Amino acid sequence: MASTTETAPAPRRAPRLSKVRKADPFIERELEKYEYPLPSREYVLQQLTERGVPLTLDELVDMLDIREGEREVFERRLGAMVRDGQLMRNRRGAYILPDRADLVRGRVEGHPDGYGFLKPDDGADDLFIGPRDMKEVLHGDRVLARVSGLDQRGRREAKIVEVLERANTRIVGKIVVEHGVHYLVPENRRINQEILLAREGRAKLPQAGQVVSVELVQQPSKHSQPIGKIVETLGTYADPGMEIEIALRKHDLPFEFSPAALAQTRRLPDEVREKDRAGRADLREIALITIDGETARDFDDAVFAERNGSGYRLIVAIADVSHYVTEGGALDKDAYDRGNSVYFPRRVIPMLPEKLSNGLCSLNPHVDRLCMVCDMAISAAGKIQRYKFYPSVMHSKARLTYNKVAAALYEKDEAMRAELAPLLPQLEVLDEIFRVLLKARARRGAIDFESSETRMVFNEQGKIEKIVPEHRNDAHRLIEECMLAANVCASEFLEFNEQPALYRIHQGPSPEKLERLRTFLAEFGMDLGGGDDPRASDYARLIERIKGRPDHQLLQTVMLRSLRQAMYSPDNVGHFGLAYEAYTHFTSPIRRYPDLMVHRAIKATLARQAGRTRKESAALDLDAIGLHCSQTERRADEATRDVEAWLKCFYMKDRVGEEFEGSVSAVVPFGIFVALDDVFIEGLVHISELGADYFHYDETRHALVGERSGQRFRLADRVRVQLVRVDLESRKIDFRLVTAESATTKRTGKTASDKARRANAEPVDEGPSWRELQGVVASEDTAVVPGGRRRTRKSGPTSATVSSGPADRKVASAPKKAKTAKTQAQTDRPKTTAAGSKPRRKGGRHG
């Protein structure tokens, strides 16, 4: 092969610069960008550090030999460094280093009650921001702040010095009119400020109650409210589909493709062309099939299996999205911005235009499609002995569903077996592979939490008719194991060939969470193996031990909450939950951007192995891309929960006054959450409704205990409640306690605390309850909250009195008459979202 290497151009000669300017350690980099380079940012910081004192512009100009003609441009560079938080100016205009001034950079997190927190960029503990300082910023803004002391609860308090970056340009909310003044109440309750609405000319402002999107024309300051102008009127909360329109704008989800991306899509062919097949393995005669949910429309993966001696051959074919979505193009930019598809009830916001997601890239039946193949040889013991990746063209022989496969394989439905007769031998081989992979999973010690999920059934008007449990059958798990095998091969292939890529990482429990878990388990006479560094197998063994116990849901939830969230990163630290040393996402490039990047990395490796020249990719910041994709994943999950909470409130709004049976699903300092039997809705019983007593929240045991009565509320207790309030706008559901009875869970074994209680003749505490205070994304590679419930909650000041002790908060609960329950719930508690079991989204089988 002829060499394609070109003679490199001679390096540009540096302009005549002074000795000081030539000492810039980044002079070569600056020369590549500018013909007459300025001192680099790093050099400016270095000089300020060495001098150790604030310097004015004139002093910096003299020190760095800035020419007269460069002064204005140099001042602009310093201004950019100030905006980025690298520098700041003091009262006399001199430039200083924020670190030397004991300033903290970070992002603001607002709270509905008016205060907030500063999350430092360096990962240090959060700082409290009082209501007065929060008036000049909005949730998400980046700021420089000074630690001003400690608040009444002993938390470090921040004083905002400067706003570095504004996070909000558009805000969605409801119009309120008072005394002729129109203002917006933001839908995002973390934005506590009311936004004044500017009137343009003689145009009339929408009526009170309308939902609108406004563009901020003036950000908040110490002395003025934010001001916005209306750019879009959406309607009212009761309009069909409004819950999704609000969620899209509230969570800043891109939902319209750019003109450039749409133009690029139109230029793509409608079918696979002959030239697209060149250089690909032809698998069109192999009986590859897709197995998905009933409502699925985008098919990422197809499978084929056959016996191979004493073992098996498994082919997993994945849509070759990277053939059409090229790096750096308009489609690629839009896909990156979205990060993933978002699956709302009854509506999908796809990562790619429909022509690709449901057409050209989707592995639809009886049409040719391009794919990337993982071809595996698997032993009878479930070990992947060999694998190879290659591009291919395929022709799906059938589009099957989980229910059809389960009916044919596991329920032995004769009619379905007859319908699938030509494919039945292959399905039976797939089931054999599933069984051996499942055994290998058990030997590996992967964690397998039990979970229950729900599905919303809608009427013709698009509202919930009922909520039903959704059961995963073995057909779901069969496909999941095939996808896990392909993902593991992809990660091993990239790691072995030292190809940079995004890994799906999941770290083990932090020391603090592990200590809390062990303390909790000790109350039940149980322990988690593994010492200070437990493995997934230690969790798996404990889960097996607690199966069949009446309190296994409680124990499983506590174990789940000790784990961290999975995320994307170029630094492979393994996957704790699945017990893999390396793991990537390869199997869903239609709906996940990290999978698309993994495909590109595999292709780059194959090209390098074959000695083919390949266009060099632009230098990628994989750390930043991994963080972005992790954030878009969380963003999509939060938006979906928002929509589901609104739909559930709408479902319950006509049932105020009815009584329901349920179980305590969470205990928090301000009350208990109750999940209703057979309705799959969750709401709050505020602490003021628990009885005429002072209730203590025991942080260690996660229980609410009455000081005088000794009455205790904890997870899994059975209760009867009355629905007293449903608020569609804030997505809140409130209950009033009617009756309660303790759960019949028993601890086993003897603990030191048991002996101490007996010695002091105290009643035996049957164990604490647990509250999931932070969400974990449900997928194949993170644990699923039992019942599918996920909620994030930061408790803040309430109208109840709270003692200063962190683990012994005393909350006064005065007796209330039933007729005042609704009023009390409206005025006397922090708000909480209505939540419940999460309906299954398409593709949830492999994350």
Side-chain angles (χ1 to χ4, degrees):
M1 180 181 293
S3 172
T4 59
T5 304
E6 298 180 3
T7 304
R12 182 191 302 158
R13 295 184 63 183
R16 300 183 66 178
L17 297 174
S18 68
K19 191 173 183 180
V20 172
R21 296 279 288 276
K22 288 181 179 179
D24 186 344
F26 295 93
I27 184 66
E28 295 298 329
R29 185 194 68 192
E30 297 296 311
L31 277 168
E32 291 177 2
K33 296 181 180 179
Y34 311 104
E35 188 172 357
Y36 299 102
L38 290 170
S40 66
R41 291 189 178 201
E42 294 87 349
Y43 193 39
V44 173
L45 296 174
Q46 176 187 317
Q47 293 300 311
L48 276 167
T49 301
E50 290 176 356
R51 289 291 296 271
V53 295
L55 296 175
T56 64
L57 175 62
D58 290 338
E59 289 169 333
L60 282 170
V61 165
D62 291 340
M63 185 176 69
L64 295 172
D65 287 343
I66 303 297
R67 301 187 183 100
E68 186 60 35
E70 298 174 321
R71 182 186 176 100
E72 183 179 346
V73 181
F74 179 64
E75 189 173 4
R76 287 204 297 268
R77 168 160 288 188
L78 294 177
M81 293 176 71
V82 170
R83 288 194 300 273
D84 291 342
Q86 293 177 300
L87 295 176
M88 68 172 297
R89 302 187 75 172
N90 61 19
R91 291 184 179 182
R92 65 184 189 91
Y95 292 93
I96 63 175
L97 297 169
D99 293 341
R100 290 290 182 90
D102 293 328
L103 298 179
V104 180
R105 281 191 296 266
R107 190 170 297 277
V108 172
E109 274 198 359
H111 190 279
D113 289 340
Y115 57 91
F117 296 91
L118 177 67
K119 298 186 73 67
D121 291 344
D122 60 8
D125 292 341
D126 295 357
L127 284 78
F128 178 77
I129 304 175
R132 180 176 297 178
D133 274 270
M134 281 297 295
K135 287 182 179 180
E136 59 184 287
V137 292
L138 298 176
H139 172 71
D141 288 350
R142 282 181 45 76
V143 302
L144 270 176
R146 178 179 289 109
V147 180
S148 60
L150 301 178
D151 68 1
Q152 293 179 347
R153 295 174 60 181
R155 298 173 297 190
R156 290 194 306 162
E157 189 164 5
K159 179 74 174 176
I160 293 175
V161 174
E162 184 178 352
V163 180
L164 301 174
E165 178 186 339
R166 296 290 187 177
N168 302 275
T169 56
R170 286 196 177 188
I171 296 175
V172 65
K174 184 184 74 170
I175 290 180
V176 175
V177 181
E178 287 185 358
H179 307 295
V181 178
H182 290 66
Y183 61 89
L184 184 88
V185 176
E187 176 68 24
N188 186 346
R189 303 301 176 187
R190 289 181 177 271
I191 298 177
N192 186 257
Q193 293 93 323
E194 296 166 349
I195 298 167
L196 294 175
L197 296 179
R199 190 188 301 271
E200 293 188 326
R202 295 185 177 181
K204 288 186 177 180
L205 292 171
Q207 296 178 348
Q210 292 282 91
V211 180
V212 301
S213 177
V214 305
E215 182 179 325
L216 292 183
V217 295
Q218 177 178 302
Q219 294 282 349
S221 68
K222 291 181 179 179
H223 309 294
S224 63
Q225 287 180 258
I227 300 175
K229 66 177 182 179
I230 297 174
V231 293
E232 186 179 15
T233 300
L234 303 177
T236 66
Y237 281 101
D239 292 343
M242 182 57 65
E243 67 279 3
I244 295 178
E245 297 298 332
I246 291 173
L248 291 174
R249 293 158 179 81
K250 174 181 174 181
H251 296 280
D252 200 23
L253 284 165
F255 59 93
E256 292 179 344
F257 289 101
S258 65
L262 293 175
Q264 186 178 347
T265 303
R266 286 192 293 270
R267 292 193 294 269
L268 294 173
D270 294 323
E271 300 292 340
V272 174
R273 299 166 298 190
E274 189 61 39
K275 66 178 184 179
D276 296 326
R277 301 187 182 100
R280 293 176 175 269
D282 193 340
L283 299 185
R284 285 177 289 182
E285 297 305 315
I286 290 183
L288 283 155
I289 58 174
T290 62
I291 305 176
D292 253 292
E294 264 75 10
T295 59
R297 295 177 61 195
D298 51 347
F299 308 118
D300 292 278
D301 53 81
V303 293
F304 169 80
E306 63 183 358
R307 292 184 183 87
N308 183 16
S310 61
Y312 305 93
R313 181 192 186 191
L314 173 64
I315 294 178
V316 174
I318 305 299
D320 190 359
V321 176
S322 63
H323 180 82
Y324 301 105
V325 182
T326 54
E327 186 177 326
L331 274 172
D332 182 52
K333 182 181 183 305
D334 278 27
Y336 172 79
D337 289 343
R338 295 180 179 221
N340 44 261
S341 298
V342 186
Y343 294 88
F344 293 115
R346 301 175 296 113
R347 182 177 172 186
V348 177
I349 308 299
M351 187 179 79
L352 301 170
E354 187 174 355
K355 181 176 181 178
L356 287 166
S357 60
N358 295 349
L360 194 55
C361 290
S362 182
L363 305 183
N364 300 327
H366 313 304
V367 292
D368 289 357
R369 287 291 183 260
L370 304 183
C371 58
M372 284 296 295
V373 169
C374 180
D375 197 334
M376 294 166 273
I378 299 176
S379 72
K383 182 179 180 181
I384 301 174
Q385 296 174 313
R386 298 180 305 281
Y387 63 86
K388 58 181 177 179
F389 288 91
Y390 53 86
S392 174
V393 58
M394 61 165 283
H395 192 97
S396 174
K397 297 299 186 287
R399 180 270 200 264
L400 304 183
T401 67
Y402 297 123
N403 290 339
K404 283 188 174 183
V405 172
L409 284 181
Y410 310 121
E411 298 167 16
K412 304 300 180 184
D413 183 291
E414 291 301 328
M416 192 54 63
R417 289 179 70 85
E419 180 183 333
L420 302 183
L423 298 171
L424 205 54
Q426 185 196 163
L427 291 174
E428 289 172 342
V429 176
L430 274 169
D431 183 57
E432 291 178 22
I433 294 176
F434 161 55
R435 301 296 168 185
V436 300
L437 289 175
L438 206 58
K439 290 179 181 177
R441 179 191 184 108
R443 288 194 301 271
R444 199 171 67 244
I447 304 173
D448 191 10
F449 285 109
E450 294 179 1
S451 64
S452 60
E453 299 178 354
T454 60
R455 176 171 55 89
M456 296 178 180
V457 178
F458 294 89
N459 58 25
E460 294 179 357
Q461 289 72 43
K463 304 305 179 185
I464 298 179
E465 186 174 281
K466 58 182 177 179
I467 302 173
V468 297
E470 186 88 332
H471 301 290
R472 280 179 89 234
N473 55 46
D474 275 355
H476 291 87
R477 303 182 73 195
L478 181 155
I479 291 297
E480 180 181 291
E481 287 298 329
C482 292
M483 298 305 113
L484 289 173
N487 285 336
V488 169
C489 291
S491 62
E492 188 177 295
F493 178 75
L494 294 171
E495 188 175 44
F496 178 81
N497 288 284
E498 299 181 349
Q499 176 70 36
L502 280 183
Y503 292 89
R504 181 68 167 179
I505 65 170
H506 184 219
Q507 295 177 285
S510 65
E512 296 79 12
K513 287 188 175 183
L514 184 60
E515 179 60 31
R516 288 199 293 269
L517 174 62
R518 293 193 186 283
T519 301
F520 182 91
L521 292 173
E523 293 293 321
F524 292 79
M526 307 184 74
D527 191 23
L528 176 71
D532 293 335
D533 188 23
R535 297 176 179 270
S537 56
D538 297 308
Y539 274 76
R541 278 191 290 270
L542 184 53
I543 289 172
E544 196 62 33
R545 282 175 55 197
I546 66 176
K547 283 183 178 178
R549 287 175 57 118
D551 53 7
H552 78 281
Q553 281 289 58
L554 164 62
L555 296 170
Q556 180 179 263
T557 304
V558 177
M559 294 172 66
L560 164 68
R561 288 309 311 133
S562 70
L563 301 177
R564 308 187 208 192
Q565 289 183 329
M567 61 182 297
Y568 296 104
S569 171
D571 301 320
N572 175 33
V573 297
H575 198 294
F576 181 84
L578 292 172
Y580 286 132
E581 293 184 2
Y583 188 68
T584 59
H585 275 168
F586 161 74
T587 54
S588 295
I590 291 177
R591 62 186 182 89
R592 288 190 307 223
Y593 192 80
D595 301 53
L596 175 57
M597 293 196 64
V598 166
H599 278 235
R600 289 172 179 161
I602 289 173
K603 283 186 174 181
T605 305
L606 292 174
R608 190 171 70 247
Q609 289 177 343
R612 298 194 302 269
T613 58
R614 183 178 172 88
K615 181 182 176 182
E616 287 296 322
S617 300
L620 298 175
D621 186 346
L622 290 178
D623 281 302
I625 295 172
L627 180 61
H628 169 78
C629 291
S630 299
Q631 290 172 341
T632 60
E633 182 181 54
R634 308 286 183 262
R635 178 181 67 184
D637 196 58
E638 290 171 5
T640 305
R641 284 202 304 271
D642 248 12
V643 169
E644 291 164 359
W646 190 92
L647 288 169
K648 289 173 180 177
C649 284
F650 191 90
Y651 176 58
M652 296 295 287
K653 71 182 179 67
D654 295 327
R655 306 184 71 174
V656 173
E658 292 185 32
E659 294 186 1
F660 303 89
E661 299 287 340
S663 299
V664 176
S665 58
V667 181
V668 288
F670 51 86
I672 59 174
F673 288 94
V674 176
L676 306 184
D677 298 345
D678 303 322
V679 185
F680 306 104
I681 297 289
E682 190 181 51
L684 176 73
V685 178
H686 189 254
I687 196 168
S688 61
E689 297 294 337
L690 297 182
D693 203 347
Y694 289 92
F695 282 87
H696 296 267
Y697 175 64
D698 189 325
E699 191 171 14
T700 303
R701 295 180 175 86
H702 304 276
L704 277 177
V705 183
E707 181 181 278
R708 178 182 57 81
S709 64
Q711 187 175 15
R712 177 179 52 210
F713 293 93
R714 61 194 176 113
L715 200 70
D717 283 357
R718 298 291 300 166
V719 295
R720 185 172 182 83
V721 295
Q722 182 185 46
L723 178 60
V724 295
R725 176 176 176 261
V726 176
D727 188 340
L728 281 172
E729 295 180 15
S730 57
R731 299 164 181 80
K732 314 295 188 280
I733 291 178
D734 293 315
F735 296 129
R736 179 181 67 84
L737 189 66
V738 178
T739 59
E741 60 183 51
S742 297
T744 56
T745 56
K746 300 289 184 183
R747 291 175 301 143
T748 58
K750 297 180 179 179
T751 66
S753 56
D754 291 331
K755 297 175 182 178
R757 289 191 188 97
R758 282 195 294 273
N760 294 298
E762 293 182 359
V764 175
D765 184 349
E766 293 179 355
S769 61
W770 179 263
R771 175 61 183 136
E772 185 196 7
L773 295 176
Q774 296 177 354
V776 172
V777 175
S779 69
E780 100 291 354
D781 52 4
T782 59
V784 180
V785 178
R789 289 179 294 275
R790 289 178 268 171
R791 183 192 307 278
T792 301
R793 174 74 193 177
K794 273 191 177 180
S795 59
T798 71
S799 57
T801 57
V802 182
S803 69
S804 58
D808 185 25
R809 301 175 185 172
K810 181 185 290 186
V811 184
S813 172
K816 299 288 179 184
K817 296 180 181 179
K819 66 180 181 180
T820 65
K822 182 174 181 179
T823 304
Q824 181 65 29
Q826 289 174 324
T827 59
D828 191 42
R829 70 164 179 85
K831 296 294 189 279
T832 180
T833 57
S837 297
K838 178 174 172 55
R840 182 171 181 79
R841 291 185 295 178
K842 186 270 166 193
R845 65 192 185 207
H846 45 85

